[in-house]
Amino acid sequence: MKFGGTSVGSPERMKNVASLVTSSGEPVLVVLSAMSGTTNSLIEISDYLYRKNPEGANDVINRLEKTYMRHVDELYSTEEWKTETRNFLHGEFDYLRSFTKDIFTSFEEKSIVAQGEIMSTNMVNNYLKECGVQTTLLSALDFMRTDKNADPDAPYIKDKLTKLLNQEQGRQIYITQGFICRNAYGEIDNLQRGGSDYTASLIGAAINAEEIQIWTDIDGMHNNDPRIVEKTEAVRQLHFEEAAELAYFGAKILHPTCVQPAKFAGIPVRLLNTMDPKAPGTIINNDIVAGKIKAVAAKDNITAIKIKSSRMLLATGFLRKVFEIFESYQTPIDMIATSEVGVSMSIDNDSHLGDIVAELKKYGTVTVDRDMCIICVVGDLDWSNVGFETLATDAMKNIPVRMISYGGSNYNISFLVRESDKKRALQSLSETLFGNK
């Protein structure tokens, strides 16, 4: 069971999490994020230290410490556990202050940012102990590791975690930190993409869990963006590939990376709502519902680049040269469409756009369209399902479409439109595909 920052964002929410994890009576491994707002404060502390401003860092540390001490008074009912937790937290904040005296690099920053999860897990673990629950705290830094390519080291994770669980047999609750890990060199690091969701999925795969539950503040994944389209509905079941497509193209509830370990291990992932625990949420598994379009998502801040070249005609190696330019600037491509004399691509990271365009101009005429948006329609879109792509394109008939991508996946058709047309496009797709007038 994984709980995000808002789910442990206050003493009341922490108590709510405690009741959820103990309600089944079965052994549960719980992954917690830092309390909401804490990671931002820790990044702010790091920023002051980078700028050699220890006074600024200490101001933020003192403010954060006061907040945590207030939470201690509200969370625990006995003086014993208040004192225990206060002592631990004082040690944590003294540790943060120690960084104001030394040289500060990215290694120290990662150690600082890791403390948010270390504090939240300790607080919840102590609260459960106060309630008389058989619980144990496992440090993610003892088993969660990445390899030299910064990818999770799955055999290491499985081996170390299994040994730790064998040492602590018979507990009802096992608690650990999301997001944080060690790298191949033993230094404190983090999983970056997907953070705590990724931790939960990796742990679920390592221990062959019955189910991986991601608890957030929304009832599962919706069939469209509820902030833009009225009367959206939660999608009750998604294939792993469908969930990954939706997550990549804008559904904020889940990170695309995090479902991969669960997918390969064949372990279902369930998205649930801490505010409404009885809601069924969304289950993600390897089942495909034939002949059904499930959902729509949108990804903003897209830039489209078109390179046109008559010299491209039958020119071997042209696309390789184009892709190598993007690779050299570590800029992934979202969508691509080709013709006899040109190729169009979209990117969501324009930090090296000027350099990329300058290099592309060696091979042809380059045009750039900014403020674009990718609209992604997800479901069983296998090419043998006659008419499904027509349904989606019909919904877009009154929207200017810059680019269409279909056939790269059996689960997705994507449209590139102007951001100013996004709302109309999402509403039109909802009406046509789901009958949401």
Side-chain angles (χ1 to χ4, degrees):
M1 297 172 79
K2 174 262 170 178
F3 295 88
T6 53
S7 297
V8 290
S10 67
E12 185 187 350
R13 294 274 174 85
M14 286 184 170
K15 289 176 182 178
N16 187 33
V17 164
S19 67
L20 286 171
V21 300
T22 53
S23 61
S24 69
E26 294 180 276
V28 174
L29 206 157
V30 180
V31 176
L32 300 180
S33 298
M35 286 177 68
S36 54
T38 298
T39 302
N40 287 343
S41 294
L42 295 172
I43 289 169
E44 189 182 357
I45 291 162
S46 302
D47 194 40
Y48 276 120
L49 294 174
Y50 271 126
R51 297 172 196 280
K52 298 182 171 54
N53 181 353
E55 292 84 6
N58 276 319
D59 278 349
V60 182
I61 292 168
N62 293 340
R63 281 204 309 272
L64 193 60
E65 186 172 24
K66 282 179 186 170
T67 301
Y68 271 80
M69 292 307 158
R70 279 201 308 273
H71 289 333
V72 168
D73 284 333
E74 292 175 43
L75 183 58
Y76 305 99
S77 54
T78 63
E79 207 52 50
E80 177 195 350
W81 286 105
K82 284 181 182 180
T83 304
E84 173 93 14
T85 310
R86 274 197 207 103
N87 289 341
F88 166 76
L89 290 172
H90 281 313
E92 281 289 295
F93 286 103
D94 286 344
Y95 176 65
L96 293 178
R97 288 185 189 96
S98 72
F99 289 97
T100 62
K101 302 176 183 67
D102 297 313
I103 294 168
F104 195 78
T105 70
S106 60
F107 297 114
E108 284 77 24
E109 180 182 16
K110 284 174 178 171
S111 294
I112 283 180
V113 171
Q115 302 314 306
E117 279 75 14
I118 290 170
M119 289 192 283
S120 66
T121 48
N122 192 282
M123 289 171 74
V124 172
N125 190 56
N126 284 353
Y127 176 73
L128 285 165
K129 283 182 175 177
E130 186 184 55
C131 296
V133 177
Q134 286 287 310
T135 177
T136 192
L137 182 58
L138 306 174
S139 172
L141 301 177
D142 290 341
F143 65 85
M144 190 60 65
R145 187 175 81 169
T146 54
D147 59 22
K148 288 180 181 177
N149 298 317
D151 291 321
D153 188 341
Y156 178 94
I157 295 165
K158 186 179 180 71
D159 177 55
K160 293 293 181 185
L161 182 54
T162 302
K163 285 176 181 171
L164 284 171
L165 291 172
N166 286 339
Q167 288 167 16
E168 297 285 351
Q169 279 184 352
R171 306 286 184 176
Q172 185 184 348
I173 306 294
Y174 300 85
I175 294 180
T176 194
Q177 300 87 19
F179 181 59
I180 66 174
C181 64
R182 290 192 187 275
N183 61 24
Y185 310 100
E187 299 152 343
I188 293 178
D189 210 328
N190 55 63
L191 295 170
Q192 297 168 7
R193 306 156 301 183
S196 299
D197 291 351
Y198 206 4
T199 303
S201 191
L202 289 163
I203 287 173
I207 65 172
N208 196 27
E210 183 183 318
E211 184 173 280
I212 296 161
Q213 296 181 352
I214 308 288
W215 289 79
T216 66
D217 52 3
I218 187 171
D219 178 22
M221 205 177 270
H222 280 233
N223 62 4
N224 210 323
D225 190 336
R227 295 165 302 180
I228 294 172
V229 178
E230 290 182 10
K231 298 179 183 173
T232 63
E233 294 175 357
V235 183
R236 294 305 173 203
Q237 185 274 338
L238 287 165
H239 185 274
F240 278 115
E241 295 287 348
E242 293 171 336
E245 295 277 10
L246 284 171
Y248 182 75
F249 286 107
K252 297 282 186 282
I253 192 172
L254 197 66
H255 192 280
T257 315
C258 91
V259 297
Q260 294 306 325
K263 175 192 170 188
F264 295 136
I267 297 168
V269 176
R270 197 179 292 274
L271 308 178
L272 293 161
N273 184 0
T274 46
M275 311 303 165
D276 185 8
K278 291 190 167 61
T282 299
I283 190 158
I284 303 166
N285 52 28
N286 278 315
D287 299 339
I288 185 74
V289 178
K292 186 168 183 183
I293 292 178
K294 300 281 186 68
V296 178
K299 189 177 186 181
D300 294 330
N301 302 315
I302 302 295
T303 301
I305 304 165
K306 180 164 73 173
I307 172 168
K308 195 171 79 172
S309 172
S310 53
R311 290 179 295 154
M312 177 191 171
L313 193 65
L314 304 178
T316 309
F318 176 82
L319 283 176
R320 174 179 56 78
K321 289 170 187 169
V322 168
F323 289 144
E324 280 176 350
I325 291 168
F326 286 90
E327 183 185 1
S328 67
Y329 290 103
Q330 295 188 311
T331 302
I333 293 168
D334 286 318
M335 288 173 69
I336 182 163
T338 63
S339 76
E340 201 67 37
V341 293
V343 55
S344 285
M345 292 145 295
S346 74
I347 59 173
D348 66 355
N349 176 2
D350 63 0
S351 55
H352 297 290
L353 182 62
D355 297 318
I356 290 168
V357 170
E359 297 254 8
L360 289 173
K361 282 181 176 175
K362 295 175 187 174
Y363 303 109
T365 307
V366 180
T367 54
V368 175
D369 295 311
R370 291 177 176 273
D371 300 321
M372 306 296 285
C373 168
I374 295 174
I375 308 279
C376 167
V377 178
V378 165
D380 179 22
L381 285 155
D382 188 281
W383 68 279
S384 59
N385 290 338
V386 178
F388 271 42
E389 73 284 357
T390 313
L391 261 179
T393 50
D394 265 2
M396 301 292 285
K397 65 187 176 188
N398 295 319
I399 313 286
V401 175
R402 164 74 178 74
M403 204 164 130
I404 298 176
S405 175
Y406 174 61
S409 151
N410 287 341
Y411 305 98
N412 164 13
I413 179 169
S414 295
F415 303 91
L416 187 67
V417 303
R418 288 187 295 249
E419 274 187 23
S420 54
D421 291 319
K422 169 183 163 181
K423 185 175 181 178
R424 281 199 306 138
L426 291 179
Q427 288 173 336
S428 180
L429 283 163
S430 254
E431 288 177 16
T432 305
L433 302 176
F434 312 123
N436 291 348
K437 295 289 184 187

